[in-house]
Structures are given as structure tokens and as C-alpha cells.
RNA sequence: AGCGGGGUGGGGUAGUUAGGAAAUCCCGACGGGCUCAUAACCCGUAGAUCGAUGGUUCAAAUCCAUUCCCCGCUACCA
């Protein structure tokens, strides 16, 4: 009997719009695999849903003066809309605030409790007498015991990064009422994870098909010992705990959300008119889970422990597919810092097919990968539009224009036989890779076949054959179209819309049914039209220099009182003086710096470093010998250009923005210069057309910052 | 500085888990072909001592050690 397959994607948290990093790290892979399994005749369902409980939702609701329900309603709808805007089609996209979900979570909880996998423990938690409730750690503020920051939070101090317990804070306050919380005992239920330690170890060790990163991460986690974990909290927004005395408590999100996979599948089954359907999948089938690497622990350890404890014949995950991160031009995608695009924004630049193609070709399967507009344009135009799109168009347009019907004529020459064999073996290999979730490799195999198809068409020269041997011409075109069939179906899971368009332009039906049926039905083609299937992208960015670099002269230098690697400098920029903090203490004596000319990044956001304000930053080259300040003989206050580009910006920049310019030392023919990137060009920094100097010299390719 | 991930032709990458003859593919450069097609496609050429050093081995991009550099997160980075 054919395997049943359930495909799950980590439930997205219902408080934001997914960005490209989320899509690439999880959802698009699920969608690709789902489309693949369906196209190749497997019985699969693709399920996810929004994760709607938890403290971040409460916080957001308070900030926006809304109820948590209003927040999650909005984002649930938003997420559905965003996924469908890029053809990510779930069979069911549910939500953890459903009644059924709560019922199922409580059922699993009772079962685990009865079997002795859950124990009650006493904890000490901050309780606000004014608000009359226990406070989440982050709702407690106070003075950090390490650095003295008076606005540290109960979970972490933003100033020194220390991870706190709320009890550690001096003069703790409730961040809502401002009153001093009491530390009271409170009871909570704990999942006794340790009971599963040996089982999990053995189970994970036997999972040979898992990616190495997932397997080794999980094993090393188990190696360090599994501790019991609280599964309830003193909060209001969550699934109620069916336990006397727990009326004011709720399940902690991670425990409850993991069960969403099954509760969503149950809801899907009911909706499909067969409430027991989900059992087919979870008891007799395979289950695939797609997620980002930050979620591996929950899926490879928590979920299996819960399912194992619960039993009821539910099978443990078949594959846990943890992905690395997709970065945007080298930086982590971040809404709050405005790095990268969310899906809505990127769709104003590219169409969904191009976006899906590009993301598929750089999926962060085994290591972090970079999303850049430039590379996207290159790949989409060169591969999707030029090679594949143009191939479809050139074959179809030829047939239409010359009014020739591609048909077999019973003859197969040596060349044809070789091509057919090649396409078949390429396809077999593709199937193996797809089944093993190696999507990037599968896609590069596809590209190989596209090139091969173009090559065959070139060698066949149908434009000549049509005059000399119409029958052979028709046969060659027929084979060309069969190659197009393979290319189109292989690409279909990745780029569903565009491939459907192409398919329908030369077949009677749509891409419906299984691969075998589709291929078998193609003894004859009915060419209806030929259009350019993929438009080329035109994304151009005017290169500009947003770095305001000025020559400065050090007036005073001294030690930073509160840090052992920092210096404090007073610097003249000509018309005014500024204060700088510099990490040079290990390499420079303050006295030796006074009077030196330096290069200052003038439009850097001011920042407080260990209590001292830094109103810019000086440039220094860093190599294995240490730090070397960048200097010049020109007047203080002079501007530094990158190539011919003068400063052209108004905004203050973040320190991370410097990385885009990739300032570094370049040594050519014995001469050192400082260079930076403007657009694609690496240009040298100069003041009044004179190059910059490096104090003491530095090694080639040293980073300047 | 701590943790994690990497250094492979001009750029981007595959190959490293199980060491083995000529190191993969895409872009770019150069030369050629074709004219059906989206100035597209196809063929060919050049270009890499696989970061460095040392070791194991008949054999190392691949294993071991040391080291340098880069990136991400964190930070006494600014």
C-alpha cells in the first residue's frame, strides 16, 4: 500500500507578517515537498496553522490597546493571505485558539499525567500585589546586579547581556503598576523529560536519513542531560489546565503549540467529512516536519517525548528537517532593524514565480545562505527566463509559425536514443534527490536538463530540417516537446504558476493527476499558443556613498574608566569637536595618539559604551598584528571620498551598515590603500585625491572598521 | 572576547559524513557556431598549488594538529 504522508511546517507565531527568511527557512520547502508528493502519486496532506497563544501576543495587544483575540485574528488572516500570495497552499491552515485544539491538548495532558510523565513542582515567582497576578519574567524591571543598569528586565539585562532571574534584580518593580513584587511560591506542572532520555538517544541515533546538523545537535543536547520542563505558566492567554487549583494558569506555549500539528490534522479531517482520517496519517503514515534551526530542539526532543508518552499508536516524526538561516546580503533578516523585505514588499519588485525560483535555488539547507537582489536578477533572468522560458517559447513558436505538428514516425536515430536515455536517467536521479529533501540539488539537475534540451534543439536544427525532411523535423520537435514535459513537471513543485501556464499552452488539460498519467497522455501535443512565459527582472539600484567620513585630529586621549579595552578621545573635526570611544587600549598608548590625524565616521548613530557616549567611530585596520589607525596628512574637517563618490546621504547609519561598504586594506605592487565597495565597484578612499595612510602598515585584505 | 558556521578559478557554489586517476555547476572574460527564440541559445578556450603550516597515508580539498582570516549571534565592537 502506498504510504500516506503528512507534511507539517512549524506553526508561525501570530504576531507578524512572514519575511523572506521565514519563507525560505521552512514554508516553501514544505510546499515544494507537498506539491512533489502529490504530483508523483503519493497520498499526502500539507498542514500548518498559526500559533496564537503566549506572552508576546499579550504584550503586543497591550501596546496597541487591543485584545489578544483581535491581534491573532488579524495575523491569522494576514498569514493566510501572505502564504497564498506566493502559492504556498496548505491543505489546512488552522489556529491554536480553536476549541478542538484545547480539547486535544487537555486530553494529551491527562494521559501523560496518568502515565506518570508529569509532576508538580514548587517555583518561586514574582507576584504583583497591585495587579494581583504573577508576572512573566520580562514584566519585572530593576537594577542589574552586575552592571548596575537601573532598567534591566527580569529575563535579561539589555545593557550587559546578563541572563537574570527576576529574584536577582535589585529593587525589582512590576513594569505595569510600578509596585514592588513579592516573591511567592507557585505550583506548576513539569514534563519529566528525563524519563525519555535513553529512549530518545537510541531513537535519534537510528535516524540515518536525518540531516547531520539536526542529528548531531539533538544528540549533543541529550548528552548534556534532559531536565524536567515547566509546561504551565501563571498567565491568562492560553489553553486552560484541567487541574484543580490551576484555574488561573495556562499551558506554556511550546507544550501546547507542538500538539497543533495533530489538532490541525483532526480539524482537517472533520472538514473533509471523515473525522478519523487523521489517524490514517499519524498511525500508518510518514510525517515530515519543516522548520528553522531554532526549532530543532522542540521537534526532535520535545515532540517525540510527548508523542511517545501519549502513545495511542501515533508514530514519531519520520523526518525533522531543520534549516539554517537565510540572510539578506550578509545580515540577518530583521523587521525591527529594517533589514531585508517582508513578502509584501518583495512582491512589489518581483513576481511570485521568480521569487520562488530564486529562493528555491538558495535554500539554506546545510548552511546559511545569502539573499541579494543582484543575484536574484542574475538567476531569474539567466536560468528561469533565458534558458527554460526561452526554450519553451522557441520550440512552441517554431511549431506554430511553421505550422508543423510534432509526431513520432517510428524512427529513432542514435542521437534521439541518447537524448531519451539521458532525460530518463536525469529524471530518476531527480526523484531520488526530491525524496531525500535535497531540493537545491534537484533543481540543479533540472537546469542541466534544460541546457541539454536547448543543446538538442540546436543540434537538431529543425529550421533546416523542415525544408529537407519534414517527417524527421516533426520527430525531432516531438522529442523536444517531451523534453519540455520533463523540464516543466520537474520544475512544477518549485514554480507552480509559470509551469502550469506553459503546460497548458501545449496540452489539452492542466497539470492534474500524477506524473505517469501526464507523461503517458502525451503521444500527441496540441499547441495552442506560445508566449514569453517569464519576464526578465529589471532591478537597478543607484550606487551611492552614504558614509560621511571626515578627517579628525585627536586633541585629548585617556582611558575609559569602566572598561579595560577602551579609550576615550576628544577629536576636532575642524569646525567642531566630538567625543569618541575607541577599542584601541591594547594597541595604543593614549599619549601617543594626541595630535594624530584620524578618519572618523561622522554620521554614525551615537551610542553609549559602558556609560560613555561615542559620537562616531574612528577607522582602523585590524590584522593579526593588532589594530592600525587610518591616518592622513590633510586638514582636519576635510571629507573623504570613496573613488569619485562624495558623501550623499542624510541619515545616521547603524554600525552594521558599515559592512555594506566592506572597507579593507588592499596591497597592490607594494602600495597599500584603503578600499570600499560602492555598488559592485571596489574603489579607493581618498582625501583631496590623496590616498589614506595606515599607521605602521597592515596586512593585505585586513578589515577596516 | 564567548558560541555557532565557513575559507575551493574574477564573483557565487558542488564535492568533505564512508580519502583514490582529469575538482562540479551558474555568472563573468575570450574565441567560434546558429538565426527557431526573450540581444536569446549552443560549442570551445583560458583561469584554482582547494586559506596557511605541519602530520597520518602508497594516495588528502576530503582525516588529525596548529594557525590566520571571514561571516552570524552575543559583548567592554562604534
Amino acid at each position: 500500500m502506498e504510504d500516506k504522508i503528512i507534511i507539517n511546517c512549524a506553526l508561525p507565531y501570530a504576531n507578524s507578517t512572514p519575511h523572506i527568511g521565514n519563507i525560505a527557512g521552512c514554508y516553501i520547502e514544505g510546499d515544494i515537498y507537498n506539491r512533489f508528493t502529490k504530483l508523483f502519486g503519493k497520498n499526502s496532506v500539507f498542514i500548518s496553522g498559526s500559533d496564537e497563544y503566549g506572552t508576546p501576543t499579550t504584550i503586543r495587544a497591550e501596546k496597541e490597546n487591543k485584545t489578544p483575540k483581535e491581534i491573532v485574528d488579524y495575523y491569522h488572516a494576514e498569514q493566510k493571505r501572505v502564504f497564498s500570495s506566493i502559492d504556498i497552499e496548505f491543505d489546512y491552515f488552522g489556529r491554536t485558539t480553536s476549541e478542538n485544539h484545547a480539547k486535544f491538548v487537555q486530553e494529551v495532558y491527562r494521559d501523560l499525567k496518568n502515565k506518570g510523565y508529569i509532576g508538580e513542582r514548587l517555583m518561586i515567582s514574582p507576584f504583583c500585589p497591585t495587579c494581583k497576578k504573577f508576572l512573566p519574567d520580562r514584566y519585572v524591571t530593576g537594577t542589574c546586579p552586575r552592571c548596575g543598569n537601573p532598567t534591566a528586565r527580569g529575563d535579561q539585562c539589555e545593557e550587559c547581556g546578563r541572563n537574570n532571574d527576576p529574584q536577582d534584580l535589585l529593587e525589582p518593580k512590576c513594569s505595569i503598576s510600578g509596585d514592588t513584587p513579592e516573591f511567592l511560591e507557585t505550583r506548576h506542572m513539569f514534563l519529566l523529560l528525563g524519563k525519555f532520555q535513553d529512549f530518545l538517544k537510541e531513537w535519534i541515533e537510528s535516524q540515518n536519513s536525518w540531516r547531520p546538523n539536526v542529528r548531531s545537535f539533538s544528540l549533543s543536547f541529550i548528552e548534556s542531560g534532559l531536565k524536567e520542563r515547566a509546561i504551565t505558566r501563571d498567565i491568562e492567554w492560553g489553553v486552560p489546565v484541567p487541574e484543580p487549583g490551576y484555574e488561573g494558569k495556562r499551558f506554556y506555549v511550546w507544550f501546547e503549540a507542538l500538539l497543533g500539528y495533530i489538532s490541525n490534522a483532526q480539524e482537517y479531517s472533520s472538514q473533509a467529512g471523515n473525522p478519523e482520517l487523521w489517524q490514517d496519517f499519524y498511525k500508518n503514515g510518514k510525517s515530515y516536519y519543516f522548520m528553522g534551526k531554532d526549532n530543532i530542539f522542540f521537534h526532535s526532543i520535545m515532540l517525540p517525548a510527548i508523542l511517545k508518552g501519549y502513545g495511542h499508536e501515533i508514530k514519531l516524526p519520520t523526518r525533522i528537517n531543520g534549516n539554517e538561516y537565510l540572510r539578506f546580503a550578509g545580515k540577518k533578516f530583521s523587521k525591527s532593524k529594517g533589514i531585508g523585505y517582508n513578502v509584501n514588499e518583495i512582491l512589489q519588485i518581483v513576481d511570485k514565480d521568480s521569487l520562488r525560483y530564486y529562493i528555491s535555488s538558495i535554500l539554506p539547507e546545510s548552511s546559511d545562505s545569502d539573499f541579494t537582489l543582484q543575484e536574484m536578477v542574475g538567476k531569474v533572468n539567466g536560468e528561469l527566463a533565458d534558458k527554460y522560458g526561452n526554450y519553451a517559447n522557441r520550440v512552441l513558436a517554431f511549431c506554430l509559425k511553421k505550422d508543423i505538428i510534432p509526431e513520432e514516425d517510428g524512427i529513432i536515430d542514435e542521437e534521439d536514443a541518447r537524448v531519451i536515455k539521458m532525460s530518463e536517467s536525469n529524471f530518476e536521479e531527480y526523484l531520488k534527490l526530491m525524496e531525500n529533501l535535497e531540493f537545491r540539488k534537484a533543481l540543479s539537475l533540472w537546469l542541466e536538463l534544460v541546457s541539454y534540451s536547448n543543446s538538442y534543439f540546436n543540434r537538431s536544427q529543425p529550421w533546416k530540417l523542415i525544408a529537407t525532411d519534414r517527417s524527421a523535423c516533426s520527430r525531432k520537435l516531438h522529442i523536444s516537446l517531451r523534453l519540455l514535459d520533463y523540464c516543466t513537471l520537474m520544475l512544477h513543485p518549485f514554480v507552480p504558476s509559470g509551469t502550469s501556464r506553459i503546460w497548458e499552452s501545449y496540452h489539452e488539460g492542466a497539470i492534474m493527476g500524477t506524473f505517469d498519467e501526464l507523461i503517458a497522455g502525451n503521444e500527441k501535443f496540441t499547441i495552442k499558443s506560445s508566449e514569453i512565459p517569464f519576464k526578465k527582472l529589471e532591478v537597478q539600484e543607484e550606487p551611492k556613498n552614504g558614509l560621511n567620513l571626515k578627517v579628525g585630529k585627536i586633541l585629548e586621549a585617556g582611558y575609559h574608566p569602566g572598561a579595560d579595552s577602551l579609550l576615550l578621545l576628544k577629536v576636532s573635526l575642524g569646525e567642531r569637536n566630538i567625543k569618541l570611544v575607541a577599542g584601541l587600549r591594547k594597541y595604543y598608548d593614549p599619549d601617543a595618539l594626541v595630535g594624530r590625524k584620524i578618519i572618523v565616521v561622522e554620521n554614525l548613530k551615537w551610542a553609549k559604551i559602558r556609560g560613555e557616549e561615542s559620537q562616531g567611530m574612528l577607522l582602523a585596520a585590524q590584522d593579526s598584528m593588532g589594530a592600525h589607525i587610518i591616518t592622513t596628512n590633510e586638514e582636519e574637517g576635510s571629507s573623504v571620498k570613496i573613488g569619485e563618490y562624495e558623501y550623499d546621504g542624510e541619515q545616521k547609519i547603524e554600525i552594521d551598515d558599515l559592512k555594506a561598504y566592506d572597507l579593507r586594506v588592499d596591497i597592490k605592487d607594494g602600495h597599500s590603500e584603503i578600499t570600499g565597495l560602492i555598488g559592485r565597484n571596489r574603489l579607493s578612499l581618498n582625501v583631496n585625491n590623496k590616498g589614506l595612510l595606515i599607521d605602521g602598515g597592515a596586512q593585505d585584505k585586513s578589515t577596516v572598521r
Side-chain angles (χ1 to χ4, degrees):
Chain A
M1 193 183 107
E2 188 60 65
D3 265 341
K4 293 188 159 54
I5 297 175
I6 190 147
I7 300 163
N8 287 307
C9 286
L11 309 188
Y13 202 75
N15 73 345
S16 67
T17 301
H19 56 61
I20 311 295
N22 303 138
I23 298 295
C26 160
Y27 305 103
I28 200 165
E29 281 200 348
D31 189 69
I32 291 167
Y33 193 62
N34 175 46
R35 289 176 186 278
F36 167 77
T37 52
K38 288 194 162 82
L39 182 57
F40 291 91
K42 304 252 169 55
N43 187 350
S44 62
V45 289
F46 182 32
I47 285 177
S48 192
S50 38
D51 176 7
E52 308 194 336
Y53 286 126
T55 313
T57 304
T58 325
I59 292 176
R60 187 164 192 129
E62 275 166 22
K63 247 189 228 160
E64 298 183 11
N65 210 10
K66 289 182 178 145
T67 64
K69 177 90 170 87
E70 285 171 325
I71 296 285
V72 298
D73 281 351
Y74 174 80
Y75 282 106
H76 175 72
E78 169 75 358
Q79 284 171 345
K80 277 181 102 156
R81 195 190 58 70
V82 164
F83 287 132
S84 87
S85 74
I86 49 173
D87 288 340
I88 291 177
E89 274 176 21
F90 297 101
D91 290 309
Y92 186 76
F93 189 76
R95 44 199 312 191
T96 58
T97 47
S98 76
E99 248 176 66
N100 172 66
H101 177 69
K103 211 176 105 209
F104 181 65
V105 169
Q106 292 171 347
E107 177 195 322
V108 172
Y109 166 77
R110 283 198 200 94
D111 195 273
L112 291 174
K113 180 98 187 295
N114 288 340
K115 291 176 178 160
Y117 292 122
I118 287 183
E120 189 174 47
R121 302 282 184 268
L122 267 180
M123 289 173 79
I124 306 286
S125 277
F127 180 87
C128 174
T130 312
C131 308
K132 295 201 167 48
K133 62 181 183 186
F134 282 97
L135 301 169
D137 290 354
R138 65 172 77 192
Y139 274 43
V140 182
T141 56
T143 302
C144 175
R146 183 164 77 171
C147 72
N149 167 29
T151 58
R153 282 200 328 236
D155 53 345
Q156 199 185 41
C157 170
E158 301 246 309
E159 208 51 46
C160 70
R162 180 188 151 121
N163 288 310
N164 292 313
D165 275 330
Q167 298 96 302
D168 300 341
L169 295 179
L170 310 170
E171 296 177 40
K173 295 268 186 289
C174 166
S175 68
I176 303 163
S177 68
D179 281 347
T180 306
E182 301 164 24
F183 286 90
L184 300 182
E185 287 189 339
T186 174
R187 297 183 167 275
H188 281 292
M189 290 300 172
F190 282 68
L191 177 67
L192 308 179
L193 254 193
K195 296 201 177 206
F196 299 97
Q197 172 125 2
D198 295 338
F199 166 76
L200 286 173
K201 182 164 186 259
E202 203 172 306
W203 178 67
I204 293 171
E205 274 171 350
S206 69
Q207 302 301 320
N208 295 319
S209 63
W210 288 15
R211 284 186 190 158
N213 59 341
V214 176
R215 212 164 148 250
S216 58
F217 173 86
S218 307
L219 284 174
S220 71
F221 205 98
I222 292 174
E223 217 46 55
S224 65
L226 296 178
K227 297 185 192 79
E228 45 194 48
R229 291 219 161 199
I231 57 167
T232 59
R233 294 261 129 169
D234 289 296
I235 50 173
E236 291 144 25
W237 182 241
V239 175
V241 185
E243 200 71 65
Y246 277 68
E247 291 75 16
K249 303 175 198 279
R250 296 289 182 269
F251 282 111
Y252 197 14
V253 262
W254 65 256
F255 174 75
E256 157 265 301
L258 285 172
L259 293 167
Y261 295 122
I262 294 179
S263 64
N264 281 327
Q266 292 170 337
E267 288 162 33
Y268 163 76
S269 304
S270 303
Q271 200 173 283
N274 177 4
E276 301 308 313
L277 181 63
W278 69 275
Q279 306 203 16
D280 267 9
F281 288 92
Y282 273 107
K283 298 184 179 177
N284 303 318
K286 295 179 175 171
S287 53
Y288 286 69
Y289 295 80
F290 294 90
M291 76 215 69
K293 62 180 163 189
D294 48 341
N295 264 320
I296 291 175
F297 168 74
F298 292 108
H299 292 81
S300 68
I301 293 175
M302 280 318 176
L303 181 64
I306 294 169
L307 294 181
K308 172 73 180 167
Y310 178 62
H312 290 79
E313 297 171 60
I314 291 180
K315 284 196 181 169
L316 300 191
T318 309
R319 286 287 289 261
I320 309 271
N321 221 50
N323 283 300
E324 303 295 312
Y325 291 136
L326 183 71
R327 293 177 314 224
F328 180 76
K331 291 183 245 179
K332 193 179 172 178
F333 273 89
S334 162
K335 280 192 319 287
S336 52
K337 288 183 192 160
I339 298 172
Y341 301 93
N342 70 26
V343 176
N344 300 334
E345 291 161 349
I346 195 80
L347 284 178
Q348 293 172 7
I349 305 175
V350 281
D351 57 287
K352 60 187 178 182
D353 281 330
S354 302
L355 178 65
R356 284 183 62 118
Y357 179 77
Y358 176 54
I359 291 179
S360 300
S361 72
I362 57 163
L363 288 173
E365 289 170 344
S366 57
S367 63
D368 291 351
S369 58
D370 268 345
F371 182 106
T372 68
L373 285 181
Q374 196 183 315
E375 192 192 27
M376 178 171 74
V377 172
K379 281 199 174 263
V380 166
N381 289 355
E383 298 170 8
L384 188 65
D386 288 344
K387 285 208 159 61
Y388 171 65
N390 178 50
Y391 177 67
N393 184 237
R394 73 192 290 208
V395 180
L396 296 175
F398 183 87
C399 295
L400 284 176
K401 201 182 281 180
K402 308 287 180 186
D403 197 21
I404 184 167
I405 297 161
E407 279 173 324
E408 293 175 286
D409 61 358
I411 303 169
I412 289 189
D413 65 26
E414 215 177 286
E415 167 103 46
D416 299 342
R418 201 168 52 237
V419 168
I420 291 167
K421 209 174 159 198
M422 149 73 191
S423 63
E424 280 168 359
S425 71
N426 178 292
F427 181 69
E428 289 301 316
E429 187 63 22
Y430 164 90
L431 288 181
K432 277 187 210 151
L433 290 170
M434 291 295 283
E435 268 158 27
N436 201 32
L437 312 179
E438 297 186 77
F439 302 121
R440 282 174 73 159
K441 282 188 197 165
L443 202 54
S444 76
L445 224 45
W446 165 84
L447 187 60
E448 221 172 86
L449 187 63
V450 174
S451 266
Y452 200 77
S453 303
N454 269 312
S455 176
Y456 172 75
F457 192 82
N458 273 27
R459 275 178 282 125
S460 304
Q461 299 185 306
W463 52 89
K464 280 187 183 161
L465 263 189
I466 194 154
T468 56
D469 186 346
R470 206 174 162 90
S471 163
C473 180
S474 167
R475 181 179 83 238
K476 297 278 181 190
L477 289 171
H478 188 266
I479 292 175
S480 295
L481 283 182
R482 298 213 63 139
L483 289 172
L484 183 59
D485 276 356
Y486 274 103
C487 293
T488 301
L489 293 176
M490 283 162 78
L491 185 64
H492 186 248
F494 300 91
V495 181
S497 293
T499 49
S500 295
R501 256 189 339 262
I502 291 177
W503 183 269
E504 283 162 31
S505 71
Y506 72 105
H507 290 90
E508 288 291 355
I511 303 187
M512 296 276 283
T514 70
F515 178 83
D516 291 337
E517 293 162 6
L518 289 165
I519 288 284
N522 286 338
E523 296 308 312
K524 282 209 168 127
F525 298 98
T526 23
I527 302 174
K528 298 174 227 165
S529 64
S530 85
E531 278 164 27
I532 289 177
F534 300 105
K535 275 191 218 128
K536 293 204 201 190
L537 304 179
E538 280 178 59
V539 176
Q540 42 190 339
E541 280 178 306
E542 279 291 305
K544 66 174 203 176
N545 174 11
L547 271 188
N548 191 6
L549 299 174
K550 284 263 165 66
V551 177
K553 186 175 180 181
I554 298 177
L555 304 175
E556 293 168 22
Y559 295 117
H560 187 301
D564 47 2
S565 68
L566 301 178
L567 295 178
L568 296 179
L569 307 175
K570 190 173 170 191
V571 176
S572 160
L573 293 180
E575 78 282 11
R576 66 196 185 89
N577 297 342
I578 59 169
K579 292 190 293 182
L580 293 183
V581 176
L584 293 177
R585 188 151 164 183
K586 273 184 258 176
Y587 316 106
Y588 283 93
D589 190 52
D591 296 338
L593 284 171
V594 176
R596 303 291 306 264
K597 298 257 181 69
I598 55 170
I599 308 300
V600 175
V601 183
E602 197 268 328
N603 62 332
L604 190 66
K605 265 196 186 154
W606 293 7
K608 248 190 189 171
I609 313 294
R610 284 245 140 179
E612 292 292 336
E613 188 156 72
S614 189
Q615 304 172 330
M617 159 183 175
L618 66 75
L619 293 186
Q622 189 85 37
D623 65 13
S624 53
M625 306 301 291
H628 310 268
I629 59 170
I630 308 301
T631 183
T632 175
N633 294 321
E634 300 301 302
E635 274 302 296
E636 58 255 43
S638 311
S639 290
V640 179
K641 289 190 289 186
I642 303 181
E644 290 302 309
Y645 289 91
E646 295 192 44
Y647 171 59
D648 173 26
E650 290 125 46
Q651 291 178 337
K652 291 269 182 190
I653 60 169
E654 299 276 350
I655 192 150
D656 282 351
D657 296 329
L658 264 178
K659 287 176 187 154
Y661 298 90
D662 192 28
L663 302 180
R664 71 178 196 208
V665 174
D666 268 306
I667 302 182
K668 277 180 223 150
D669 311 321
H671 293 287
S672 292
E673 54 178 13
I674 309 296
T675 63
L677 283 178
I678 295 289
R680 299 179 192 197
N681 302 318
R682 179 162 287 284
L683 304 165
S684 58
L685 276 62
N686 61 84
V687 191
N688 305 328
N689 291 320
K690 296 194 181 95
L692 301 176
L693 310 169
I694 303 159
D695 186 43
Q699 290 159 9
D700 195 21
K701 306 285 185 274
S702 305
T703 317
V704 172
R705 46 173 292 164

